Amino acid sequence: MTVKKISASAPAPGAPFFTPAQEPPAGTALVSPDRQDVPTLFTPLTLRGLTLQNRFVVSPMCTYSADDGHLTDWHLVHLGAYALRGAALTIVEATAVAPNGRISPEDSGLWQDSQIAPLKRVVDFVHSQGQKIGIQLAHAGRKASTVAPWHVTERGRHEVAGPDVGGWPESLVAPTAVAWDDGFPTPNELTAEQIEAVVRGFADAARRAVEAGVDTVEIHGAHGYLISEFLSPITNQRQDRYGGSFANRTRLLTEVVQAVRAVIPAAMPLLVRISATEWMEHAHASAPSSSSSPSASLDAAESWTIPQSKQLALALADLGVDLLDVSSGGNNPRQQVDPKRQVDIAGEIRAELLRHGKTSLKIGAVGLVYTAERARDVVQLDEGGQAKADLVFVGRQFLREPEFVLTTAAKLGVKVQPPIQYHRAPYRL
């Protein structure tokens, strides 16, 4: 009897453990991307030296599960699940560049070298699946030192973490000494020297991320955290070179972008997340001229709005930023958010970039992406030949449905590569 010889599985290249090579990676369309019936969602996109096989990005999502800033096995399983199931790019949650820049005592951090190895373990697994991974670098500013949200009983509140649970309410920093809300600590106004230290912190964290092997870095300039606080005239009342004019309020972000761009490889794309609007337009005419609330007394000031985001996008395109991740809100508890407009706002910024010939800066969109059709429509060309975005950033739906890439493909009728170990369980609707 002749025994048929079967070749051994090729190992994933560069992995520090055996796992079969995923060639092509899960989530890759198995038909020509030039075919008219393949939605843009399942076509490749290249940012500098990074090519993604589809347009899905796992948004950075805080999980409040790190050990003194160090990632753990929780993060390996949590983040690895998305890479295994076809997400082209997974971004590690907001990672603090300084201990007092954490949102909570359990936040991810990259302010010291011991935090490199746990991150590299996650990176190695994602790469073993043929997928890409990035990290979001952040400083929480006046919104730091809060407890994990599952400890909060009132919706929309951010309860302070005191020293008894590892918090640092006396060490909060911000552009101006304005508290987040009543009952929250008043932050310390940063000195010029401390601002320089923040910029160095972002650069040092980026160097550590590169050492860990990430494929891209995202700077968190959104959601009312430190950089966002500098951008907004509501929270930035400084009278020095970091406050007042648009150029001054964007100076910290500009300096962070330049510092990070200088320490990451030339072929590595740089991402920036912004809040395109604070959703505070309603307060410009209605806010009281005086109030017992330290933040309410500033609500009548001009806020950060979409036109300023368009102006910022044009500037970032010239600073070596490769993708603008467009979110919104988070800088004032009195915001009035219209989540249905979120993707349209990203589309407005993308159209503004194209009008000025800034084609190198791509746009990522977030917001209410719960269905296959919604994900498709975010990046698909409309009747006028325009798309709202180049990549779709998905958060909560991935938490509900880690296989969202694969189920979306099935619902849209696109044949894609599954994880090879799951070949006997194709997705059926």
Side-chain angles (χ1 to χ4, degrees):
M1 181 177 70
T2 302
V3 177
K4 183 179 180 181
K5 184 177 181 180
I6 300 176
S7 300
S9 295
F17 51 87
F18 174 77
T19 185
Q22 304 283 341
E23 296 177 351
T28 302
L30 297 179
V31 293
S32 170
D34 297 328
R35 281 179 46 171
Q36 295 299 310
D37 58 343
V38 177
T40 302
L41 189 60
F42 286 98
T43 62
L45 179 72
T46 297
L47 302 170
R48 292 196 183 231
L50 176 66
T51 297
L52 308 176
Q53 81 275 18
N54 59 49
R55 305 299 181 96
F56 287 92
V57 180
V58 178
S59 278
M61 296 177 284
C62 293
T63 59
Y64 312 98
S65 300
D67 181 5
D68 190 28
H70 299 75
L71 301 187
T72 70
D73 285 357
W74 154 260
H75 300 91
L76 177 67
V77 174
H78 165 63
L79 297 170
Y82 308 124
L84 175 65
R85 293 167 173 84
L89 175 61
T90 300
I91 301 183
V92 177
E93 63 193 72
T95 297
V97 301
N100 71 339
R102 291 171 291 170
I103 303 168
S104 81
E106 294 80 33
D107 272 24
S108 169
L110 206 50
W111 66 80
Q112 57 186 351
D113 287 351
S114 63
Q115 293 158 341
I116 297 172
L119 172 60
K120 187 176 188 302
R121 187 164 180 243
V122 176
V123 169
D124 286 345
F125 179 81
V126 171
H127 286 167
S128 77
Q129 303 307 301
Q131 313 290 10
K132 308 301 182 184
I133 184 168
I135 190 167
Q136 184 186 69
L137 301 181
H139 193 299
R142 68 175 185 165
K143 293 176 71 175
S145 192
T146 59
V147 297
W150 52 80
H151 295 296
V152 179
T153 57
E154 182 182 343
R155 183 176 175 83
R157 294 287 293 178
H158 303 262
E159 297 298 336
V160 178
D164 57 322
V165 293
W168 53 97
E170 302 302 319
S171 300
L172 302 187
V173 295
T176 306
V178 177
W180 161 254
D181 200 2
D182 295 330
F184 285 78
T186 299
N188 302 293
E189 182 171 314
L190 285 163
T191 67
E193 292 75 17
Q194 290 172 326
I195 292 174
E196 291 177 3
V198 168
V199 175
R200 288 196 301 273
F202 273 92
D204 290 343
R207 278 195 292 267
R208 294 186 182 102
V210 171
E211 186 174 341
V214 302
D215 300 292
T216 185
V217 168
E218 177 172 272
I219 297 167
H220 198 346
H223 301 163
Y225 300 123
L226 186 63
I227 291 176
S228 179
E229 293 164 18
F230 269 86
L231 296 177
S232 168
I234 294 178
T235 44
N236 184 348
Q237 298 292 304
R238 301 177 70 96
Q239 302 300 314
D240 63 2
R241 63 194 297 266
Y242 289 97
S245 68
F246 175 87
N248 284 355
R249 285 183 285 111
T250 59
R251 190 180 305 278
L252 174 61
L253 176 55
T254 296
E255 291 180 351
V256 169
V257 166
Q258 292 171 327
V260 171
R261 182 76 265 174
V263 300
I264 64 176
M268 179 180 287
L270 177 59
L271 286 55
V272 172
R273 171 168 277 195
I274 65 167
S275 285
T277 173
E278 294 185 85
W279 300 110
M280 289 295 294
E281 292 86 349
H282 67 94
H284 295 169
S286 61
S289 58
S290 63
S291 169
S292 60
S293 169
S295 59
S297 64
L298 297 175
D299 282 352
E302 180 191 1
S303 60
W304 183 265
T305 57
I306 297 170
Q308 292 178 80
S309 290
K310 292 178 179 178
Q311 185 178 352
L312 177 62
L314 294 172
L316 293 177
D318 294 330
L319 290 174
V321 176
D322 301 285
L323 183 133
L324 191 64
D325 176 3
V326 181
S327 189
S328 70
N331 196 39
N332 197 295
R334 296 163 186 81
Q335 64 187 4
Q336 293 184 4
V337 179
D338 181 1
K340 294 180 181 179
R341 286 196 59 208
Q342 179 62 64
V343 171
D344 290 337
I345 292 171
E348 289 182 35
I349 295 174
R350 186 175 187 272
E352 183 75 4
L353 288 165
L354 294 178
R355 276 194 292 272
H356 288 81
K358 306 290 186 179
T359 58
S360 63
L361 181 59
K362 306 303 182 185
I363 294 293
V366 304
L368 303 179
V369 182
Y370 301 152
T371 67
E373 293 77 15
R374 174 71 164 172
R376 175 197 62 201
D377 293 347
V378 169
V379 296
Q380 194 71 23
L381 296 181
D382 59 22
E383 293 180 356
Q386 298 296 322
K388 300 291 178 60
D390 302 283
L391 288 171
V392 56
F393 283 64
V394 181
R396 294 177 189 180
Q397 190 58 29
F398 270 122
L399 296 180
R400 300 183 187 97
E401 189 180 4
E403 63 280 357
F404 185 53
V405 174
L406 302 177
T407 56
T408 294
K411 290 174 182 177
L412 298 181
V414 180
K415 186 178 181 181
V416 299
Q417 175 71 27
I420 59 173
Q421 298 96 324
Y422 295 179
H423 71 283
R424 289 185 293 181
Y427 284 89
R428 296 193 177 113
L429 302 179

